């Protein structure tokens, strides 16, 4: 009987253990977006959503996700707080989508632990520098139609770019036409400072505006003086035509003033 009791307890333990593992497994499956596939790799959750024709980023990822692959979809934007509950996320792949817009708080909540962010192969022209300001991850920005300006230059100063893709960041458009089509790193290495270009453009615009106002004032003063001189001369000629002695005195007075 003693042996039988031990055997029953052991079987009960295995049953409870099996049910517990089953519940954990079911919970993991339930938390996985229906359009994705979740797997456990060395105790960490990896979420595969590649090539699923997704137009938006799902919102129901497992909270213990460490790797999230959303590449090769049709996603157009990364909204605020898209990954806010993924505190353990280390790798985020958003490459080969149609992303045009990244909002200010798009990566809020994952910036500290993230190690790799792939935004290559999208339709990104510009990103608010605040959106990537706290990232410590290696970032891939290649193969996007970038607009090369002061904002992009300042953003890149704060990022850790992937060395293998940095030469594939080209100026699709630019504040200066001569830089279009050139690798951004080559332009910056040549000593070009887009922020100085912006400041010079602003200074020139201010100078032209001030010169315009100054020219208007000078024109008005010249017109005013000439107009008054003409009136005075006409009045003077009129006085000359009169024989009155008093008018002659007035004439002398006006002559003295002129």
């Amino acid at each position: 009987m003693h042996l039988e009791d031990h055997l029953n307890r052991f079987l009960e333990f295995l049953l409870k253990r099996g049910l517990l593992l089953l519940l954990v497994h079911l919970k993991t499956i339930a938390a996985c977006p229906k359009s994705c596939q979740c797997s456990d790799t060395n105790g960490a959750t990896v979420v595969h959503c590649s090539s699923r024709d997704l137009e938006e980023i799902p919102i129901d990822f497992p909270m213990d996700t460490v790797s999230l692959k959303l590449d090769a979809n049709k996603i157009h934007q990364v909204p605020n707080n898209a990954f806010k509950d993924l505190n353990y996320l280390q790798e985020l792949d958003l490459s080969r989508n149609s992303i045009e817009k990244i909002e200010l708080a798009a990566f809020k909540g994952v910036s500290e632990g993230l190690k790799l962010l792939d935004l290559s192969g999208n339709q990104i022209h510009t990103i608010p520098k605040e959106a990537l300001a706290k990232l410590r991850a290696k970032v891939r920005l290649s193969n996007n139609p970038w607009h090369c300006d002061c904002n992009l230059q300042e953003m890149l100063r704060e990022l850790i770019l992937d060395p293998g893709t940095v030469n594939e960041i080209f100026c699709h458009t630019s504040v200066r036409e001569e830089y279009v089509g050139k690798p951004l790193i080559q332009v910056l290495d040549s000593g070009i400072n887009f922020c100085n270009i912006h400041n010079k453009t602003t200074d020139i615009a201010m100078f032209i505006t001030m010169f315009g106002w100054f020219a208007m004032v000078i024109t008005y003063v010249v017109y005013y003086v000439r107009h008054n001189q003409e009136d005075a001369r006409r009045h003077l000629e009129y006085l000359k035509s009169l024989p009155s002695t008093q008018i002659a005195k007035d004439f002398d007075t006006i002559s003295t003033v002129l």
Side-chain angles (χ1 to χ4, degrees):
M1 292 294 294
H2 184 69
L3 180 61
E4 186 177 351
D5 288 340
H6 279 290
L7 182 60
N8 288 334
R9 289 179 182 177
F10 180 69
L11 291 174
E12 183 179 355
F13 170 78
L14 288 178
L15 181 61
K16 290 181 178 180
R17 181 75 173 179
L19 288 173
L20 179 61
L21 292 174
L22 179 61
L23 288 173
V24 171
H25 181 67
L26 289 175
K27 182 180 178 181
T28 302
I29 294 176
C32 190
K34 61 181 181 180
S35 54
C36 305
Q37 180 182 356
C38 299
S39 60
D40 189 306
T41 303
N42 298 324
T45 300
V46 177
V47 182
H48 295 269
C49 305
S50 305
S51 304
R52 303 300 173 95
D53 291 327
L54 297 175
E55 296 184 0
E56 296 181 347
I57 297 174
I59 58 174
D60 50 354
F61 299 111
M63 296 180 65
D64 60 346
T65 300
V66 296
S67 178
L68 176 56
K69 300 183 180 300
L70 287 161
D71 55 300
N73 282 291
K74 300 176 181 178
I75 299 169
H76 292 278
Q77 68 172 342
V78 184
N80 289 328
N81 302 310
F83 315 101
K84 65 175 182 177
D85 295 323
L86 305 182
N87 298 322
Y88 303 99
L89 191 63
Q90 297 181 15
E91 179 182 353
L92 177 57
D93 189 352
L94 289 163
S95 64
R96 295 182 295 153
N97 276 280
S98 301
I99 298 172
E100 297 180 358
K101 182 180 180 181
I102 296 178
E103 297 188 354
L104 285 174
F107 303 108
K108 184 178 180 180
V110 302
S111 57
E112 296 298 328
L114 199 63
K115 295 181 179 179
L116 176 63
L117 173 62
D118 195 342
L119 292 170
S120 61
N122 281 283
Q123 297 298 317
I124 306 171
H125 295 83
T126 184
I127 300 178
K129 59 183 179 180
E130 296 84 359
L132 305 179
K134 296 182 179 180
L135 285 181
R136 298 295 177 265
K138 185 184 294 183
V139 182
R140 295 172 182 166
L141 299 174
S142 57
N143 299 317
N144 280 284
W146 291 106
H147 177 66
C148 292
D149 61 358
C150 182
N151 178 75
L152 180 59
Q153 179 178 328
E154 290 187 341
M155 183 189 71
L156 293 182
R157 287 176 179 171
E158 305 297 326
L159 296 181
I160 304 172
L161 296 177
D162 181 10
T165 62
V166 69
N167 290 322
E168 298 172 7
I169 303 175
F170 286 85
C171 296
H172 183 74
T173 57
S174 175
V175 291
R176 294 281 292 271
E177 189 68 25
E178 59 265 34
Y179 305 133
V180 173
K182 294 184 178 180
L184 177 60
I185 191 66
Q186 177 182 325
V187 174
L188 296 179
D189 283 347
S190 68
I192 298 301
N193 189 328
F194 288 107
C195 297
N196 283 347
I197 292 174
H198 175 74
N199 292 336
K200 288 180 180 178
T201 303
T202 303
D203 291 343
I204 292 172
M206 290 180 63
F207 174 77
I208 292 173
T209 302
M210 292 178 65
F211 180 79
W213 279 106
F214 181 74
M216 289 177 63
V217 171
I218 294 299
T219 302
Y220 175 78
V221 170
V222 170
Y223 170 79
Y224 179 82
V225 171
R226 287 183 177 178
H227 180 73
N228 284 300
Q229 282 181 344
E230 290 296 327
D231 287 345
R233 286 172 183 172
R234 284 197 297 269
H235 187 62
L236 186 60
E237 290 175 358
Y238 171 74
L239 292 176
K240 285 180 178 180
S241 65
L242 297 176
S244 172
T245 306
Q246 292 183 351
I247 294 176
K249 292 181 179 179
D250 293 338
F251 169 75
D252 293 336
T253 304
I254 293 174
S255 298
T256 303
V257 171
L258 293 176

